[in-house]
């Protein structure tokens, strides 16, 4: 897994590539937590080059969404979710917990 | 297929998913089914590593992945603490954000993705998880 961050004025855009599983989810979590610890709660996660995500990654998304939405200070949104990952998120009932966008700039512009 | 033994560590989940995908691909499962099989195997192995072995570093996990007719049968054998997936409370997937449980999701996905998930624990031979998926 590889994760890069781009800071915009109103939000942070993360691009996560490769595979997020129990081995790599801690690093994914850490990157999201770091943004929160820096006082940034408007986050977009671009999944266009993500090949795989297990429930370990879903848990990181859920924990971060809770933290972001607390006190209405922000939100985590998902961008370009690949079909297989979207199906798994749907199965877990996660799709209604996250706004999704097809395009990173559209997501950035939504904040 | 003879059993393949993996170190019970998260770094080997990649190889476990590759093993399952290879057998599924050779047997003409759809891409959607291959992803489901990989995810179910990953969730099962992750639970064994996390809950049955609780981080014991030199533990191993034996996996077989075979076709029986048009059905794939994945077995995982470990010698850790008994961990019965059927005893895991089902998460409420309709709950609000604040009430969502963080745990139990892996087992829930395994049950949803596979046609059958069975678990046996034996004091002599250890724990055996069997997961079955028909090619459809």
């Amino acid at each position: 897994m590889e994760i890069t961050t781009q800071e915009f004025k109103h939000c942070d855009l993360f691009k996560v590539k490769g595979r997020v599983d129990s081995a790599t989810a801690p690093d994914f979590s850490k990157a999201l937590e770091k943004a929160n610890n820096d006082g940034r709660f408007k986050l977009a996660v671009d999944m266009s080059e993500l090949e795989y995500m297990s429930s370990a990654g879903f848990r990181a998304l859920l924990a971060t969404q809770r933290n972001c939405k607390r006190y209405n200070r922000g939100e985590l949104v998902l961008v370009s979710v690949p079909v297989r990952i979207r199906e798994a998120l749907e199965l877990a009932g996660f799709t209604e917990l996250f706004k999704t966008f097809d395009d990173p700039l559209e997501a950035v512009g939504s904040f | 297929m003879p059993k393949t033994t993996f170190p019970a560590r998260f770094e080997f989940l990649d190889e476990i998913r590759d093993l399952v995908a290879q057998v599924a691909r050779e047997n003409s499962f759809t891409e959607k089914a291959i992803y489901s099989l990989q995810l179910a195997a990953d969730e099962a192995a992750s639970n064994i590593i996390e809950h049955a072995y609780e981080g014991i570093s030199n533990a191993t996990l034996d996996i077989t992945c075979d076709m029986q007719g048009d059905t794939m049968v994945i077995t995982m054998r470990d010698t850790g603490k008994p961990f019965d997936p059927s005893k895991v409370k089902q998460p409420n997937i309709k709950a609000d954000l604040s009430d969502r449980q963080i745990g139990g999701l892996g087992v829930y996905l395994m049950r949803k993705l596979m046609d059958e998930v069975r678990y046996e624990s034996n004091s002599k031979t250890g724990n055996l998880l069997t997961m079955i998926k028909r090619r459809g």
Side-chain angles (χ1 to χ4, degrees):
Chain A
M1 186 212 61
E2 194 190 323
I3 186 158
T4 53
T5 317
Q6 205 180 344
E7 287 194 9
F8 289 86
K9 194 174 173 199
H10 296 290
C11 77
D12 284 6
L13 177 65
F14 293 85
K15 180 147 189 160
V16 57
K17 297 181 188 180
R19 293 174 289 271
V20 176
D21 62 9
S22 299
T24 57
D27 288 339
F28 179 55
S29 271
K30 250 179 250 165
L32 298 171
E33 275 168 25
K34 187 183 177 301
N36 285 171
N37 291 340
D38 291 346
R40 304 182 68 87
F41 301 99
K42 293 172 180 169
L43 313 180
V45 179
D46 181 349
M47 296 186 167
S48 56
E49 290 180 54
L50 187 63
E51 294 161 30
Y52 177 84
M53 185 178 264
S54 74
S55 69
F58 296 0
R59 283 194 286 272
L61 291 174
L62 178 64
T64 307
Q65 181 69 302
R66 273 193 192 142
N67 201 21
C68 288
K69 283 199 162 180
R70 195 169 296 148
Y71 317 122
N72 280 325
R73 59 193 171 185
E75 181 172 8
L76 183 154
V77 303
L78 305 177
V79 185
S80 305
V81 185
V83 60
R84 300 278 94 91
I85 296 170
R86 183 165 46 76
E87 286 164 354
L89 285 167
E90 263 164 28
L91 212 52
F94 267 44
T95 37
E96 58 231 61
L97 302 179
F98 300 90
K99 269 187 211 154
T100 57
F101 295 89
D102 294 331
D103 179 74
L105 291 179
E106 193 192 336
V108 169
S110 75
F111 287 108
Chain B
M1 181 199 270
K3 71 173 190 203
T4 310
T5 302
F6 293 94
R9 297 209 304 267
F10 291 143
E11 303 94 279
F12 289 86
L13 289 171
D14 256 337
E15 288 176 43
I16 292 170
R17 291 194 301 267
D18 286 348
L19 172 81
V20 170
Q22 189 194 331
V23 177
R25 210 158 268 136
E26 282 166 7
N27 288 282
S28 310
F29 276 82
T30 62
E31 284 304 314
K32 180 175 174 158
I34 293 169
Y35 191 91
S36 298
L37 287 159
Q38 286 183 296
L39 185 52
D42 174 326
E43 299 294 350
S46 292
N47 275 334
I48 291 168
I49 296 165
E50 198 173 339
H51 301 297
Y53 286 127
E54 294 179 307
I56 299 172
S57 60
N58 58 351
T60 59
L61 173 61
D62 292 337
I63 299 184
T64 67
C65 184
D66 289 295
M67 291 300 290
Q68 287 179 11
D70 64 351
T71 300
M72 184 181 282
V73 182
I74 301 172
T75 70
M76 294 191 187
R77 194 182 283 281
D78 70 83
T79 54
K81 223 174 59 178
F83 174 76
D84 185 347
S86 67
K87 300 267 164 64
V88 175
K89 206 176 147 219
Q90 187 168 314
N92 178 3
I93 65 155
K94 299 254 194 283
D96 289 339
L97 181 65
S98 56
D99 295 328
R100 284 294 173 118
Q101 287 167 254
I102 294 275
L105 203 53
V107 170
Y108 177 81
L109 288 174
M110 281 157 60
R111 297 200 161 276
K112 284 281 183 187
L113 296 164
M114 302 297 287
D115 290 316
E116 203 180 324
V117 177
R118 276 200 310 263
Y119 177 82
E120 297 152 52
S121 185
N122 180 305
S123 57
K124 285 201 181 71
T125 57
N127 311 310
L128 176 66
L129 179 74
T130 307
M131 301 194 289
I132 289 172
K133 190 171 180 71
R134 283 181 288 277
R135 190 159 44 201

